[in-house]
Amino acid sequence: MRIKTDKRRRAIVSAAWEAFKINGFERTSMADISGRVGGSKATLYSYFSSKEELFAAAVAQAIKERADKVLSRMEGGGDLADRLAAFARDYLETRLAPEMIDADRVMISEADRPALNMKLRTEFILPEWRRLAAAISHEMDAGNLRQADPYPVAMHFRGLIEGDLVERRLHGEPEIAAEEVDAAIVFGAEAFLRAYSINDKTSAPAPETQK
């Protein structure tokens, strides 16, 4: 009897993600994935009960690995304007990266599977945005932001820094210029502070130029 390991599980999830990105959910079979990772379909089913479960794990891994770094920017200490700008920088770099655009496209391609997409949203996507909302709630309690429902406020901040950049990438624009990303960071953070800050300091620091 083979012993299941985390290393093997991660290898299966990574191989599955590559297959899903190329072929989509419907056209990817468990046999395709086992061929990529080596081994049999029986091995895959010993880790995941279905292709849907494996797909959810693959998308979750793509999201989780990047989300932890981004959200830690808001959950630390220091000047709020600096943390907003740092979050915006890391968020946009992550959100516009090919891996995350691929994740969006795969999920959109499976939009006719509402149960699967709802599972992904409720179990893996919403919890990350709730972490941001919790960080914003902490700033409200600390007297740095005016009191409001923190989840819509988090979504306002997301929209302000994203602008149309993510949509353009999803529609096929291969790259967003660094100058546009810098401008989105400054505009988004300053607009957010003007809307919600209760202090006089409402200017976000200029972002560092990416080399």
Side-chain angles (χ1 to χ4, degrees):
M1 180 177 178
R2 293 188 176 182
I3 299 174
K4 293 193 289 187
T5 65
D6 286 341
K7 181 178 180 181
R8 183 64 171 168
R9 184 184 188 280
R10 289 194 298 271
I12 291 170
V13 171
S14 295
W17 179 235
E18 292 305 315
F20 288 131
K21 284 193 299 182
I22 294 170
N23 302 317
F25 178 85
E26 188 65 38
R27 293 190 301 275
T28 298
S29 68
M30 293 297 262
D32 295 332
I33 297 167
S34 64
R36 282 175 172 269
V37 76
S40 66
K41 288 195 294 181
T43 299
L44 299 189
Y45 282 113
S46 72
Y47 283 87
F48 300 96
S49 63
S50 65
K51 186 172 73 170
E52 286 81 2
E53 184 181 342
L54 180 50
F55 179 73
V59 174
Q61 180 170 289
I63 294 170
K64 184 69 174 175
E65 289 176 349
R66 295 172 178 269
D68 283 342
K69 176 190 173 185
V70 174
L71 289 164
S72 68
R73 294 293 197 176
M74 279 298 296
E75 293 169 337
D79 182 73
L80 177 58
D82 289 338
R83 284 184 286 125
L84 288 169
F87 173 91
R89 163 70 62 194
D90 282 355
Y91 174 73
L92 286 178
E93 287 182 351
T94 295
R95 194 70 183 80
L96 299 173
E99 187 84 350
M100 294 306 296
I101 296 299
D102 286 340
D104 261 331
R105 287 173 175 157
V106 170
M107 290 183 67
I108 291 168
S109 74
E110 302 305 324
D112 60 346
R113 297 176 180 273
L116 178 58
N117 276 336
M118 184 58 67
K119 175 182 175 65
L120 292 170
R121 180 166 178 77
T122 57
E123 294 186 14
F124 307 116
I125 298 174
L126 282 177
E128 303 304 333
W129 287 118
R130 289 182 180 129
R131 280 179 62 186
L132 177 60
I136 286 174
S137 179
H138 176 76
E139 298 301 328
M140 292 174 179
D141 292 341
N144 295 323
L145 297 174
R146 65 178 178 83
Q147 290 292 329
D149 185 336
Y151 188 82
V153 173
M155 294 301 96
H156 291 169
F157 185 41
R158 171 192 181 182
L160 286 167
I161 58 179
E162 276 190 11
D164 68 346
L165 302 185
V166 173
E167 181 180 61
R168 285 161 54 189
R169 286 283 285 115
L170 285 171
H171 290 175
E173 194 164 333
E175 186 176 1
I176 304 297
E179 293 79 7
E180 288 190 81
V181 174
D182 289 345
I185 293 167
V186 172
F187 174 83
E190 288 192 348
F192 179 80
L193 287 171
R194 284 196 297 271
Y196 293 105
S197 177
I198 59 176
N199 298 318
D200 291 331
K201 297 179 179 179
T202 58
S203 294
E208 294 181 4
T209 302
Q210 298 297 292
K211 296 181 179 180

